[in-house]
Amino acid sequence: MKKILVPLLFLLVVLKTEAQSSVFTVVDSLLIKGNYQLAIELLTKSKPQTFELLEKAASINQTIGNDTKAIELYKKALTFNNSESLKIKLGQVYNSAGLSSKAIEVYENIIKKDSSNLLVLNNLGKLYLVLNKPKKAALVYIYLKKKDSLNPNYPYQLAEALSKQNELFKMGQSYLDAYNLDTLHIKSMYELAKFFKKLKIKDSTMLFIDKGLKIDSTNLNFLQLKANELYFTKKFDEAINYLTVLDSLNFRSVNTYEMFGMCYYNLEKFDLAEASFKKALKIEYNNPKILYRLASLAYEKNDAKQAKMYASMSIFHSKPDIDKQHFLLAVIFKEENDLKNALINFEKAFQNNYNNYKALFELANTSDVYYKDKKTALKHYKNYLARFESKDPKMTEFVEQRIDVIKKQYFIEGEIVD
C-alpha cells in the first residue's frame, strides 16, 4: 500500500505545481497587457490558495495602489511562510498606506532578529524622521554610517535628524560629510548653502549655491537662494536675471514678485516696479506688505491720491487676526445674559474679519433679542443673506424667517421697511 501511496502523492504534487505554473503563465500574460484586475481575480479564485498565489496577488495589488487589499494578502501569505522578504514588503505597503506606526513595528521586529539588513534600517530611520523621533533616527544613521561608511545618504539623513534636535553645528558637519563622500550630492549642497547663509558666511553660501546651479541650472531652490543673496548684496541687475529665470520656469510667488519690484525700485525703474508689485497682488490681493510697497512707490511718483489709497488698504488688511477671541468673549457674555457686551464683541469680531459669517449671524440674532426696534437686526440679517446665503443652510433658513416676520410686523404697524 505504501508503495502505491508514495508515487501517488508525488504525482499530486507535480500536478499541483504544474497547475500553479500554468496559472502564473496566464497571470503574467495578463499583466503584460495591463489586465491587473483579471490577473488578481484568477489568482484569488485558484484553489488551493498557496503562499505563492497570495504573494503574487498581494504584489499586484501593491503595484496598482490597492494597499488595503495588499496588506490583507501579505498577512495571509505570512501564515504559510514567515518570510523576511515578505515582511519587508508588508512594511513598505503599510508605509505607502500612511500606516507609519505599523510599518515601524514590522521593521523593528525584523531588526531585532536581523540587524544586518541595512535596507530595513534605512527605511526605519526615515520613518522615525517622519514621525518626529529624531533621536531614534540619529541612532539608526550613526549605526548605518559605521556599517557603510561610503554611502552619502547616511550622513545626510543623520544631518536631518540632528536638524530636528537643533544640533546646528553637528548638522552642518554631517551635511559636509555627505558632500565629501559625493561632490554631486545636490541635496547636501542645498542644505549647506542654507546652513552657511544662517551663519552669515557669504562666500561659503555662494560657493554651494553656484555648485548646485552648475549641476542643475534650473533648480528652483538654488535659483531662489541665488536671487536672494544677490538682492541683499545690492546686485539688483544680477538678481533680476535669476528672478527672470524663475519666472520663465513658472515659479511665481508673492516673495519673488516683491523682490522683482524692489530690485526695479532700487534701480529707479518705477513702472516696472509697479508692474511687479501688482503681479504679487494678483496672487495675494490683500497682502499689506505689497500694498505698502505700492503706496511708497506712488509717493515717490508724486501720486498722493494713489499713495493714500494703497496706504489705507495696507492699514485695513494689517489688522491683527483677533476675531476669534472677540467671538469667544461675545459667546460668554451672551451665555451670561450680558447682551450689551455680547453685541460689542460680536461686532468687533465681524469688523476684524468680514468673512466671519458666524459673527455676523450672532450680531444679527443678538440685536434681534436686545433691541425693541428691530431695524438694526433687520439690517444685519439682510447683510448676512447678501453675503453668506450659501454658507450654512440652517442659519440661512432662520435669517429668511426672521426677515419675513420683522417686515410683516412693521407692515402691521403701518410702516414699510426695505
Side-chain angles (χ1 to χ4, degrees):
M1 187 68 177
K2 286 184 179 177
K3 288 181 181 179
I4 297 170
L5 282 172
V6 171
L8 187 60
L9 287 169
F10 177 74
L11 181 62
L12 287 170
V13 169
V14 170
L15 289 171
K16 179 183 168 184
T17 304
E18 286 180 354
Q20 284 203 355
S21 177
S22 65
V23 168
F24 286 130
T25 301
V26 175
V27 165
D28 288 339
S29 68
L30 288 169
L31 293 176
I32 290 168
K33 295 175 182 177
N35 294 324
Y36 297 103
Q37 291 303 332
L38 280 175
I40 292 166
E41 190 177 340
L42 179 59
L43 288 165
T44 52
K45 284 184 177 179
S46 296
K47 301 296 179 187
Q49 287 286 283
T50 64
F51 172 80
E52 291 79 13
L53 287 168
L54 290 164
E55 182 185 23
K56 186 77 170 178
S59 177
I60 298 169
N61 275 289
Q62 184 178 2
T63 301
I64 63 175
N66 191 349
D67 294 332
T68 302
K69 193 64 181 176
I71 290 166
E72 178 193 326
L73 291 167
Y74 277 135
K75 288 168 81 173
K76 279 185 183 177
L78 283 167
T79 64
F80 287 84
N81 183 346
N82 198 26
S83 159
E84 183 175 294
S85 63
L86 203 65
K87 287 180 181 176
I88 292 170
K89 289 180 180 178
L90 178 60
Q92 289 170 343
V93 76
Y94 270 138
N95 187 29
S96 65
L99 300 168
S100 302
S101 296
K102 286 190 176 291
I104 283 176
E105 187 180 338
V106 170
Y107 290 146
E108 284 178 339
N109 286 332
I110 293 170
I111 294 305
K112 282 176 186 176
K113 296 175 184 177
D114 179 17
S115 62
S116 66
N117 195 320
L118 304 191
L119 174 65
V120 172
L121 275 166
N122 186 37
N123 289 337
L124 184 58
K126 288 179 181 177
L127 282 169
Y128 282 146
L129 285 171
V130 169
L131 293 186
N132 203 26
K133 296 180 179 180
K135 288 184 179 179
K136 285 189 172 185
L139 290 172
V140 167
Y141 285 110
I142 288 168
Y143 177 80
L144 284 169
K145 275 182 69 180
K146 289 177 182 176
K147 288 292 181 181
D148 183 359
S149 60
L150 299 179
N151 190 331
N153 178 57
Y154 298 149
Y156 175 82
Q157 295 290 6
L158 175 58
E160 296 284 281
L162 292 167
S163 173
K164 287 178 177 284
Q165 297 175 73
N166 295 316
E167 295 276 2
L168 184 64
F169 290 102
K170 288 182 180 178
M171 174 202 78
Q173 182 58 55
S174 202
Y175 283 132
L176 197 57
D177 291 343
Y179 170 74
N180 287 331
L181 286 169
D182 179 5
T183 56
L184 298 177
H185 200 266
I186 201 160
K187 290 192 290 186
S188 293
M189 291 180 205
Y190 177 59
E191 295 300 335
L192 284 165
K194 291 195 298 179
F195 170 71
F196 286 116
K197 181 177 174 63
K198 190 175 284 187
L199 295 180
K200 297 182 179 178
I201 303 175
K202 291 180 182 178
D203 290 344
S204 296
T205 303
M206 290 300 281
L207 173 71
F208 284 104
I209 291 172
D210 290 337
K211 282 179 180 290
L213 286 171
K214 190 173 181 181
I215 295 169
D216 183 2
S217 62
T218 61
N219 187 292
L220 298 178
N221 290 328
F222 287 107
L223 286 168
Q224 287 177 84
L225 284 176
K226 182 78 173 185
N228 192 274
E229 284 299 300
L230 291 168
Y231 172 75
F232 283 105
T233 51
K234 299 185 178 180
K235 296 176 181 177
F236 302 119
D237 284 313
E238 291 181 58
I240 287 169
N241 291 336
Y242 285 95
L243 289 167
T244 302
V245 175
L246 281 167
D247 194 47
S248 71
L249 294 169
N250 294 315
F251 182 82
R252 287 153 191 166
S253 70
V254 171
N255 289 338
T256 54
Y257 283 128
E258 181 186 11
M259 197 178 293
F260 251 129
M262 289 307 298
C263 286
Y264 286 128
Y265 181 87
N266 282 289
L267 293 169
E268 295 187 0
K269 296 178 179 180
F270 296 138
D271 289 340
L272 289 171
E274 184 178 4
S276 298
F277 292 140
K278 285 183 176 178
K279 285 179 182 178
L281 281 186
K282 284 182 181 178
I283 298 171
E284 192 177 325
Y285 75 95
N286 58 357
N287 186 299
K289 193 175 178 185
I290 301 300
L291 289 165
Y292 169 73
R293 300 286 194 204
L294 282 164
S296 300
L297 186 60
Y299 179 74
E300 288 288 335
K301 294 167 74 175
N302 296 315
D303 189 340
K305 185 179 178 181
Q306 283 278 79
K308 285 191 290 183
M309 182 192 76
Y310 284 124
S312 298
M313 289 172 68
S314 178
I315 292 167
F316 177 79
H317 291 295
S318 295
K319 287 180 182 178
D321 185 13
I322 55 172
D323 61 302
K324 291 174 184 176
Q325 293 89 326
H326 280 300
F327 186 83
L328 179 60
L329 269 175
V331 169
I332 295 167
F333 281 128
K334 190 174 181 180
E335 287 173 354
E336 293 174 346
N337 205 33
D338 185 351
L339 299 184
K340 183 178 179 181
N341 278 313
L343 277 170
I344 290 168
N345 282 280
F346 281 134
E347 189 158 12
K348 285 182 178 179
F350 183 63
Q351 285 178 348
N352 190 260
N353 179 3
Y354 288 116
N355 292 316
N356 191 331
Y357 68 96
K358 291 180 181 178
L360 181 55
F361 175 83
E362 290 292 345
L363 178 60
N365 182 243
T366 309
S367 298
D368 199 354
V369 176
Y370 184 68
Y371 296 115
K372 187 176 179 180
D373 186 336
K374 303 299 179 185
K375 288 178 183 175
T376 301
L378 181 63
K379 180 186 76 173
H380 292 316
Y381 280 136
K382 289 171 73 175
N383 190 13
Y384 178 91
L385 203 60
R387 297 196 58 189
F388 305 119
E389 184 178 1
S390 62
K391 278 287 184 183
D392 187 304
K394 288 184 178 179
M395 285 185 182
T396 299
E397 185 182 357
F398 178 86
V399 167
E400 287 173 337
Q401 287 173 355
R402 285 304 301 156
I403 289 172
D404 286 341
V405 169
I406 292 170
K407 282 185 174 181
K408 284 176 184 176
Q409 184 181 332
Y410 276 107
F411 181 76
I412 290 165
E413 293 172 1
E415 186 177 350
I416 297 174
V417 289
D418 292 327

